[in-house]
Amino acid sequence: MKKLIIAANWKLYIHDAAEAKKNIAALKRMHDLLGSTELLVLPPLPLIPAVVSATKGSGIAVGAQAVSPFEDGAYTGYVSAQLVQEVGATWALVGHSEQRAQVLDGIPAAGATLDLVAAQVRAAHAAGLRVLLCVGEHERDPSGAHFSEVAEQLQTALAQFPNTGTKLAIAYEPVWAIGKSANEACTPADLEEMVIFIRRTLTELFDRKAAAKVPILYGGSVDAGNARELLVQGGASGLLVGRASTDAKTFIELLRTIQQ
Ligand code: PGA
């Protein structure tokens, strides 16, 4: 199998440094089994330093779940890409649907707009972070409107990205498939079609060779039952795993299935 990127999006499921360290210790114990697979852990922001220290020398990368588009100034509550880079993060997740959402758990939210996501991509890249840009439609549309939705997300977010496409990866996360069970996830056939579409959209933004190299991950209800088929039949270059990545035993089971 090609070199994969597996990202563990801990969201707000991990609540303290002790739990984070326990998870990392378990991942380190099985790291040899992973071969060339790149592992990325995305903890809640305040836990980044603890996870950076726990992963030291292991080859496991650490990233921020979100970064502010701003570097300096009157931005109460924002955390800049420079700050997370300074405490050891090397990746930033940008444009996750839970960040873009207008309503979260029934509460109106200040969801990130296309312009805000584009500014976050620019800030993360400027700080030297690798960018994992999330795109994905809200619902599948028989007339194919979901393709336009994804294209618009890519075009706006990457309009000013260097056309070498380096330090960029895309995570295709259909919103309807996030946080469900594996049988409600995207099918490998639908994923394969979307991976081809995303690749084609990238060739319009970057030069062809550069576009071919950008990893395209899948996320949304991935677990040990569907991880392998999404990679092999769906043609994804990796996975962005939420809930199933937060319990070390469950995550390791998933990682084992993709090594077979
Ligand atoms: P899930 O989350 O695996 O819990 O569906 C994926 C994500 O939102 O990154």
Side-chain angles (χ1 to χ4, degrees), residues 146-234:
H146 52 283
F147 287 109
S148 324
E149 195 177 343
V150 169
E152 188 185 25
Q153 290 170 350
L154 288 166
Q155 285 153 355
T156 49
L158 300 174
Q160 290 177 41
F161 203 88
N163 75 354
T164 52
T166 45
K167 292 194 143 188
L168 173 69
I170 307 295
Y172 169 58
E173 293 211 311
V175 181
W176 50 267
I178 295 177
K180 305 272 172 50
S181 59
N183 57 10
E184 289 173 89
C186 192
T187 64
D190 284 345
L191 174 60
E192 189 184 21
E193 188 185 31
M194 187 54 92
V195 167
I196 293 168
F197 177 78
I198 291 174
R199 184 80 63 207
R200 206 179 68 211
T201 308
L202 293 176
T203 58
E204 289 157 12
L205 294 165
F206 305 137
D207 72 58
R208 187 167 285 276
K209 260 198 184 149
K213 286 196 194 132
V214 176
I216 302 173
L217 283 58
Y218 169 76
S221 300
V222 177
D223 67 15
N226 63 0
R228 191 174 164 80
E229 61 176 22
L230 287 162
L231 293 169
V232 176
Q233 297 162 38

Side-chain angles (χ1 to χ4, degrees), residues 9 11 96 98 173 177-180 219-222 240-243:
N9 179 10
K11 306 192 182 191
H96 191 280
E98 286 148 18
E173 293 211 311
I178 295 177
K180 305 272 172 50
S221 300
V222 177
L240 176 54
V241 188
R243 185 180 281 276

Side-chain angles (χ1 to χ4, degrees), residues 16-58:
D16 56 46
E19 200 182 347
K21 285 183 188 160
K22 208 170 120 214
N23 266 1
I24 297 298
L27 288 182
K28 277 163 78 174
R29 283 196 293 277
M30 69 91 57
H31 201 235
D32 282 353
L33 288 175
L34 287 177
S36 63
T37 299
E38 219 176 317
L39 256 191
L40 162 65
V41 175
L42 299 155
L45 288 175
L47 296 181
I48 289 178
V51 174
V52 166
S53 127
T55 51
K56 215 172 185 155
S58 69

